[in-house]
Amino acid sequence: MFRRAFWFTTGAAAGVWATNKVHRKLRKLQPDSLAAQAADKAVETGHRLRQFALDVRTGMADREEQLHDALGLGEPDGVRELPAPRRAVLEPQYRTTRTTGHTGLTGPTGKEDH
């Protein structure tokens, strides 16, 4: 009698466990759940890519510092400013003018029709 009760209880517990496991798997395979899983993976991948980019940037700065030390380049004392804009020293060789009655640009003599 006790053996039958034991095996009946064991079978019922196994059936409940298996049913719950199957229902969980089915919920995971529903479209809403799959979309949420894909979104979570995309966010995780984005975080990993950002961390990779930060690691690369740190490595680049370290390597740049090593190269500066190896080449004997000193650190700038202050903030470097951009150089002043350069002005054209020479006049253009050809000035473009418009002739009356002609819509094209002309050269130095005004008679070219390129």
Side-chain angles (χ1 to χ4, degrees):
M1 177 91 164
F2 288 111
R3 283 176 70 176
R4 285 185 184 173
F6 170 76
W7 287 114
F8 177 77
T9 307
T10 303
V16 169
W17 175 80
T19 303
N20 284 337
K21 189 146 182 120
V22 167
H23 282 293
R24 279 190 218 131
K25 287 289 184 184
L26 287 176
R27 272 187 253 131
K28 282 186 178 180
L29 295 176
Q30 289 179 345
D32 294 340
S33 179
L34 290 175
Q37 288 176 6
D40 290 342
K41 291 290 183 181
V43 168
E44 181 181 336
T45 302
H47 289 303
R48 287 183 181 179
L49 285 174
R50 181 170 185 197
Q51 186 60 43
F52 175 72
L54 291 173
D55 291 345
V56 167
R57 189 173 294 149
T58 302
M60 285 174 32
D62 291 344
R63 182 62 179 151
E64 186 175 348
E65 185 178 323
Q66 290 173 358
L67 289 173
H68 277 228
D69 291 343
L71 296 173
L73 301 174
E75 292 289 326
D77 294 336
V79 177
R80 292 171 46 179
E81 294 182 18
L82 294 173
R86 296 182 183 177
R87 295 186 181 169
V89 177
L90 300 175
E91 289 288 325
Q93 185 177 4
Y94 296 105
R95 293 185 183 202
T96 56
T97 59
R98 295 201 180 267
T99 59
T100 57
H102 188 269
T103 59
L105 298 177
T106 61
T109 60
K111 296 181 182 178
E112 286 82 6
D113 191 26
H114 299 282

